[in-house]
Amino acid sequence: MNDSSKKSMSKKGYKRPLYIQVARYIAIGTELGMSISIMTLFGYISFKRLLGENFAAIGVVVGVVLGFFSGIYSLYKLVKDR
């Protein structure tokens, strides 16, 4: 193959197999879910230890919000690279 056919095949003519597309979506969902889960647990534990049991619910909310935004940021970097 010459260079021009490789370029056209990589842009328009080539379609990824279905299992690769499915694996990518599974990885995206898993990464977002794990980010939220880990930050929620971190927020709960840190607020409970630092401020007491009464503020643990606030730690959960802060953890969910931080986890969501950090997950979205990491997904943005993943999509931007491809």
Side-chain angles (χ1 to χ4, degrees), residues 16-81:
R16 291 183 178 158
L18 180 63
Y19 66 91
I20 292 177
Q21 292 175 355
V22 169
R24 184 174 182 204
Y25 292 131
I26 289 172
I28 288 172
T30 302
E31 186 172 350
L32 183 61
M34 289 302 294
S35 175
I36 293 171
S37 300
I38 289 171
M39 289 303 290
T40 301
L41 185 62
F42 179 74
Y44 174 76
I45 291 171
S46 63
F47 271 63
K48 184 178 176 183
R49 287 193 181 201
L50 294 175
L51 300 174
E53 184 70 37
N54 296 333
F55 293 98
I58 296 172
V60 169
V61 172
V62 170
V64 166
V65 170
L66 288 176
F68 177 75
F69 284 117
S70 67
I72 294 296
Y73 178 70
S74 97
L75 293 178
Y76 170 73
K77 289 191 310 186
L78 177 73
V79 171
K80 186 177 109 175
D81 289 341

